[in-house]
């Protein structure tokens, strides 16, 4: 039977979202629940950008981009900000139009060895398992519970769709917010053993603060779920919920037993990746950014849309070149594939940040 | 033939949007293009809230709500703001959570005798007619061109869908932005003869500024098209594009002849009305507001969602009671029907603003 066009579009949205998550298959290490991820194991939250600014010694505070080494990337940022903020200058941009957009995974925090949101989904399976005895014999849940992530995700898109539906839906938006808040404070990154919120890039925190100090509004435009990022982005990045754009589940407002609620449905409403990023930007931000920061081909269209407007524009790609301090990957990686955007960066004037060369520190905890 | 569920949903979105616009049928006066709406007839833009604050004499400036008469409505606003801003008080709300949402049509500006967006669509038909000779013999365009709005809209939802598709799609988002900007500066309200941007309510401009001065973020949550409001809401209301939530057309990003563009498709993506308002709020604002301002049953769910959260909440309904200075209508009006929200206001603690009694002036031009 031939599917109706709208049905096919609906299915296509699921597939697109599943593909984003599936990219995480490669490089996944088998993992079960470990003591450090147990609920209640409260970790100290990472210092916020503001706290870090407050704590900085006076000498270091003189350079707002102190974790950036001198070089082309740092120069490009400083020169761009100087151009657009110089009043009466030929390239002056009024503050209302100083819109900067940032991808999240791989641009503001680590995405290797797997997206944090997938780690969250896998942890949720463990947490919800007691209420789902049938999962003990049903894939992909059976393999997740056995700690075999690779086998769990071997079911492809269908497996991912099942995992996301089972772990991201069937709760209200406020319940989901609380679940994410609890997880982000207690879960630990599988390689560093650090809380996820410490896996943010110190140079990018400084860049966010530097842009805001110069009248920019900073936005996240992520392929990840918007409701997975919003609960902690205020504390960690200094970015309020309405300035986070991401992929979305379908939502339904209803009054149940006299109590108004917004339910998360097991259906994908919007995939904010690739050509979806400019659409998400227009829908939610409503104007074309003048600066865009990404790290993968999923950010290509966002960079293209941002930098093809008139006047001064800044497009920047974080290139993961540092296997010692973080990870080294680009065109052959299933997560954060970077090929076309890297190839076209020179002719498009996009600045490539060489993480190893351009960043004095990657994570704030390195200095400890 | 039975339609597939997804197709039915798609159709339902169109119908819902058409119904919003169709409400404008009642009360429509026949109108054709008139000289004062000709393109190029630049009207003075309405003073912005900031300009008005700057222009105000020192004595009047002492009361930020100077166009509000003393009474319960004004008292409720001032008391609510005092409660949530009193540091160390029991009801203190941090600035990041001081989210206030405003309906647009009938709450911030006039919606009678027809929605401005419908007037815009009708004007667009006249403007585009030379490129569409077939419209001379095809409804609903034929009647629009003959100046018979009632007859044009007699075709019901189908007619409205045709009008919106023909006048709001097939252009890029940036072209549409420019079209709206030009229209809003040159079109005039059919009753007052004033530019539309002067049809905003002076007391509500003061309320927006008062809330912002007290650390609130102000948002518009409108059943109207988001891209119809954004081009002028910054100047008129002091609200930036990302703080406007509204109904949306489907968008498509593409590169055509080497130029990136976002095309407005002739399809409705989201209807931000009734139960859609809390969903639109969650999608775009990402947190539950603490204050909501509406004027019709289309705002019921937004008021309900806002005021049913914990802690101090303010729900307010602008009741159109002033036939002399503006319009008097509620439960029997097809535009801005107000029945259930008015009936339930007392038990829900929603404050009803009696426009005639509570507003010293309605429009800023009254004082001239």
């Amino acid at each position: 039977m031939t599917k109706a066009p709208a049905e096919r579009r609906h299915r296509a949205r699921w597939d697109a979202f599943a593909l984003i998550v599936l990219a995480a298959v490669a490089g996944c290490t088998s993992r079960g629940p470990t003591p450090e991820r147990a609920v209640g194991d409260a970790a100290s939250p990472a210092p916020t950008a503001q706290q870090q600014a407050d704590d900085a010694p006076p000498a270091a505070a003189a350079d707002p981009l102190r974790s950036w080494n001198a070089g082309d990337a740092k120069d490009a940022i400083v020169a761009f900000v100087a151009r657009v903020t110089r009043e009466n200058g030929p390239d002056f941009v009024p503050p209302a139009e100083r819109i900067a957009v940032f991808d999240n995974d791989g641009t503001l925090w680590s995405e290797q060895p797997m997206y944090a949101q997938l780690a969250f989904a896998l942890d949720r399976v463990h947490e919800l398992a007691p209420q789902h005895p049938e999962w003990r014999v049903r894939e992909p849940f059976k393999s997740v519970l056995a700690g075999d992530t690779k086998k769990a995700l071997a079911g492809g898109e269908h497996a991912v769709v099942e995992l996301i539906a089972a772990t991201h839906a069937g709760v209200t938006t406020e319940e989901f917010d609380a679940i994410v808040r609890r997880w982000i404070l207690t879960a630990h990154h599988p390689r560093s053993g650090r809380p996820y919120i410490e896996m943010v890039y110190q140079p990018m925190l400084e860049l966010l603060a530097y842009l805001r100090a110069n009248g920019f509004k900073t936005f996240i435009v992520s392929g990840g779920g918007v409701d997975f990022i919003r609960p902690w982005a205020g504390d960690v990045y200094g970015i309020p919920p309405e300035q986070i754009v991401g992929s979305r589940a379908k939502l339904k407002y209803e009054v149940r037993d006299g109590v108004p609620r917004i339910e998360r449905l097991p259906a994908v409403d919007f995939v904010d990746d690739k050509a979806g990023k400019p659409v998400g930007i227009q829908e939610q931000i409503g104007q074309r950014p003048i600066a865009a920061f990404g790290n993968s081909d999923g950010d290509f269209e966002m960079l293209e849309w941002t930098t093809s407007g008139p006047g001064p524009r800044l497009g920047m790609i974080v290139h993961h070149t540092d296997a010692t301090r973080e990870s080294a990957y680009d065109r052959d990686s299933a997560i954060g594939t970077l090929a076309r955007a890297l190839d076209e960066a020179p002719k498009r004037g996009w600045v490539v940040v060489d993480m190893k060369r351009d960043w004095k520190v990657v994570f704030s905890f390195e200095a400890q």
Side-chain angles (χ1 to χ4, degrees), chain A:
Chain A
M1 189 188 127
T2 314
K3 282 178 183 162
E7 264 187 332
R8 261 186 275 120
R9 277 196 303 275
H10 180 68
R11 174 71 204 170
R13 279 200 295 266
W14 264 116
D15 293 349
F17 189 70
L19 278 172
I20 297 178
V21 184
L22 256 191
V25 173
C28 278
T29 50
S30 289
R31 51 199 293 275
T34 54
E36 78 266 19
R37 276 185 288 109
V39 172
D41 174 17
S44 321
T48 62
Q50 187 51 50
Q51 285 167 342
Q52 289 173 348
D54 293 346
D55 295 346
D63 180 4
L65 300 174
R66 58 191 176 280
S67 298
W68 292 73
N69 286 316
D72 291 348
K74 185 172 184 172
D75 288 350
I77 294 167
V78 173
F80 174 75
V81 169
R83 275 178 75 192
V84 302
T85 56
R86 193 174 297 122
E87 290 204 51
N88 304 318
D91 292 327
F92 179 74
V93 176
E97 294 166 24
R98 291 181 204 157
I99 304 295
V101 288
F102 291 79
D103 170 57
N104 185 39
D105 295 309
T107 299
L108 293 179
W109 75 347
S110 276
E111 63 186 352
Q112 299 280 5
M114 76 164 92
Y115 293 123
Q117 194 172 358
L118 182 58
F120 165 76
L122 299 178
D123 284 357
R124 282 280 288 159
V125 170
H126 287 283
E127 199 177 322
L128 294 171
Q131 299 154 47
H132 294 276
E134 75 278 12
W135 286 357
R136 277 183 239 142
V137 292
R138 198 178 133 210
E139 293 292 4
F141 307 100
K142 184 183 163 189
S143 290
V144 173
L145 294 173
D148 190 346
T149 305
K150 259 197 176 139
K151 190 173 171 196
L153 299 179
E157 290 169 27
H158 181 70
V160 173
V161 167
E162 284 229 55
L163 284 173
I164 298 288
T167 58
H168 285 60
V171 292
T172 69
T173 50
E174 295 189 334
E175 286 163 353
F176 191 74
D177 182 274
I179 291 164
V180 173
R181 278 176 200 273
R182 194 183 57 200
W183 183 85
I184 203 82
L185 285 176
T186 56
H188 290 69
H189 187 263
R191 281 192 192 154
S192 70
R194 297 270 174 176
Y196 274 95
I197 46 177
E198 291 189 17
M199 300 307 293
V200 300
Y201 305 132
Q202 176 61 25
M204 297 305 281
L205 290 181
E206 292 167 14
L207 176 55
L208 286 168
Y210 176 62
L211 290 173
R212 289 195 291 258
N214 281 282
F216 280 78
K217 265 191 194 156
T218 53
F219 292 80
I220 289 176
V221 178
S222 170
V226 65
D227 289 337
F228 178 74
I229 304 169
R230 282 174 168 161
W232 49 271
D235 287 340
V236 175
Y237 299 135
I239 299 182
E242 75 272 13
Q243 287 169 220
I244 318 279
V245 184
S247 296
R248 291 191 305 260
K250 274 203 178 296
L251 304 176
K252 185 188 176 187
Y253 177 77
E254 61 182 356
V255 179
R256 195 183 286 183
D257 301 329
V259 180
R261 46 187 274 144
I262 300 177
E263 176 92 5
R264 292 176 58 84
L265 303 180
V268 174
D269 185 50
F270 177 68
V271 178
D272 190 54
D273 197 39
K274 300 190 169 71
K277 288 205 174 192
V279 169
I281 287 169
Q282 179 60 29
E283 282 187 357
Q284 196 169 323
I285 305 177
Q287 60 181 319
R288 199 198 287 220
I290 62 166
F293 304 86
N295 79 297
S296 80
D297 284 353
D299 304 313
F300 187 92
E301 287 82 357
M302 175 173 82
L303 286 158
E304 178 179 65
W305 174 239
T306 299
T307 59
S308 58
R313 305 276 157 168
L314 178 63
M316 194 165 261
I317 296 168
V318 174
H319 189 192
H320 292 262
T321 51
D322 195 328
T324 308
R325 295 184 298 177
E326 202 238 12
S327 299
Y329 62 97
D330 47 38
R331 54 189 81 238
D332 297 325
S333 174
I335 302 176
T337 316
L338 175 64
R340 186 183 171 200
L342 194 60
D343 294 339
E344 297 195 15
K347 82 166 188 207
R348 289 175 180 267
W350 298 342
V351 180
V352 178
V353 177
D354 182 324
M355 188 182 270
K356 189 172 179 175
R357 182 192 65 202
D358 291 322
W359 286 0
K360 205 171 287 175
V361 297
V362 175
F363 303 108
S364 65
F365 57 75
E366 286 170 25
Q368 293 165 7

